[in-house]
């Protein structure tokens, strides 16, 4: 393990944290960056495990609300409905992700051209969605109907294709189904916890015998960087979205995907 590898891990961790909760595909960004940097991780496990840093950022920012839900769970129907909605939304990705894990990691994660194309297509979708005049029906992320939560959960499965974006697919689904922009983003935050925690645990289990002490250090560096970066994004994203919508992220995706395709054509 070289000092250069640690620097790359730190930079990729920052990139993960900055992009995890934006509808731009953090996985797509770090896989592309890793490809051009020549960064390699055992079974692409680094790219999954550092997401735990982003999970902890959500827990820090929303600790008071999560704690309130926890302590009122036995007595509050609203808290129980919220938890059940998150569980329902999580289940499709849990089942499909476990069944398709090998294909996702060995094929989709190794296709930088596919990532660039999905970044561009996702950007076009965001630009289109931001032009729609949808009157929000659901403005409270903690009170989404179960049917809405399930549909958002199935939409999240699209993000198993790197470049699609977990937050992007869940936010767009929420918007098209009548959620307000802040509520759709907030529900995406909440849904990230079981989804990313599940991916972390499953990947760690699958690669437990292949990881070395050096891998652990590299992952720890990326994890810390992701936590710090995600903390900054989560605190400011809802305000930004309320003012500017999702158009800036759509153009960003198109730019990154386009530059990526040109770079692949030039240097492979």
């Amino acid at each position: 393990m070289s000092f250069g590898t640690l620097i790359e891990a730190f930079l990729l961790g920052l990139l993960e944290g900055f992009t995890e909760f934006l509808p731009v595909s953090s996985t797509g960004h770090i896989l592309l960056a890793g490809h051009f940097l020549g960064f390699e991780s055992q079974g692409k496990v680094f790219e999954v495990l550092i997401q735990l840093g982003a999970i902890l950022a959500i827990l820090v920012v929303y600790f008071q609300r999560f704690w309130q839900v926890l302590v009122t769970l036995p007595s509050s129907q609203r808290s129980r409905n919220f938890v059940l909605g998150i569980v329902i939304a999580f289940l499709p990705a849990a089942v499909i992700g476990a069944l398709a894990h090998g294909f996702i990691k060995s094929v989709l994660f190794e296709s930088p051209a596919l990532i660039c194309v999905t970044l561009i297509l996702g950007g076009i979708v965001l630009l289109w969605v931001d032009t729609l005049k949808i009157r929000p029906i659901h403005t409270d992320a903690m009170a989404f109907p179960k049917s809405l939560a399930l549909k958002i959960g199935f939409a999240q499965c699209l993000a198993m294709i790197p470049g699609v974006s977990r937050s992007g697919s869940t936010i767009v689904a929420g918007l098209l189904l009548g959620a307000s922009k802040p509520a759709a983003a907030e529900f995406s935050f909440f849904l990230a916890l079981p989804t990313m925690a599940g991916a972390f645990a499953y990947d760690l289990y699958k690669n437990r015998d292949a990881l070395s002490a050096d891998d652990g250090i590299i992952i720890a560096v990326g994890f810390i960087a992701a936590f710090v970066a995600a903390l900054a994004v989560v605190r400011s994203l809802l305000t930004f979205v309320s003012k500017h919508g999702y158009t800036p992220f759509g153009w960003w995706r198109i730019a990154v995907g386009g530059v990526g395709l040109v770079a692949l054509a030039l240097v492979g």
Side-chain angles (χ1 to χ4, degrees):
M1 175 182 58
S2 67
F3 181 72
T5 299
L6 292 178
I7 294 297
E8 290 173 354
F10 179 76
L11 293 176
L12 291 173
L14 286 178
L15 185 59
E16 157 63 28
F18 280 128
T19 57
E20 178 57 50
F21 299 108
L22 304 180
V24 298
S25 179
S26 62
T27 302
H29 276 67
I30 60 176
L31 286 174
L32 279 181
H35 173 78
F36 291 115
L37 286 171
F39 181 87
E40 292 289 338
S41 68
Q42 174 65 38
K44 297 296 182 184
V45 71
F46 171 88
E47 290 80 353
V48 175
L49 297 190
I50 62 170
Q51 292 178 352
L52 184 61
I55 297 174
L56 290 184
I58 284 287
L59 287 174
V60 168
V61 173
Y62 284 97
F63 176 79
Q64 229 176 356
R65 188 178 298 190
F66 287 131
W67 180 254
Q68 183 66 21
V69 168
L70 182 63
V71 298
T72 60
L73 203 56
S75 59
S76 170
Q77 184 64 42
R78 173 179 165 82
S79 294
R80 289 195 294 271
N81 285 341
F82 168 65
V83 172
L84 183 57
I86 294 297
V87 171
I88 289 172
F90 163 67
L91 287 177
V95 174
I96 296 173
L99 293 174
H101 180 268
F103 176 76
I104 294 168
K105 296 297 286 292
S106 63
V107 178
L108 298 182
F109 271 41
E110 299 290 346
S111 306
L114 171 66
I115 294 170
C116 293
V117 170
T118 52
L119 281 171
I120 293 170
L121 293 178
I124 293 170
V125 170
L126 283 180
L127 295 179
W128 168 69
V129 167
D130 235 13
T131 65
L132 300 178
K133 305 299 181 184
I134 302 173
R135 185 174 180 179
I137 302 170
H138 311 288
T139 58
D140 182 359
M142 292 187 66
F144 279 7
K146 308 298 182 300
S147 58
L148 175 57
L150 181 61
K151 291 170 184 175
I152 291 175
F154 276 111
Q156 181 175 236
C157 295
L158 294 173
M160 293 174 191
I161 305 170
V164 170
S165 171
R166 188 205 62 79
S167 58
S169 59
T170 53
I171 288 171
V172 167
L175 293 176
L176 293 178
L177 293 168
S180 66
K181 289 177 180 178
E186 200 168 47
F187 190 82
S188 179
F189 289 170
F190 296 146
L191 181 55
L193 266 76
T195 303
M196 293 159 63
F200 175 92
Y202 191 75
D203 239 62
L204 185 61
Y205 171 76
K206 295 288 286 186
N207 293 277
R208 64 192 185 282
D209 296 327
L211 294 175
S212 65
D214 283 353
D215 291 324
I217 294 172
I218 293 169
I219 290 167
V221 169
F223 163 88
I224 294 169
F227 170 75
V228 173
L231 201 58
V233 170
V234 171
R235 291 187 187 279
S236 59
L237 180 60
L238 294 182
T239 301
F240 182 89
V241 166
S242 297
K243 290 182 178 179
H244 305 286
Y246 293 103
T247 295
F249 304 118
W251 287 118
W252 173 260
R253 291 177 61 107
I254 292 170
V256 172
V259 170
L261 285 176
V262 171
L264 287 172
L266 293 175
V267 302

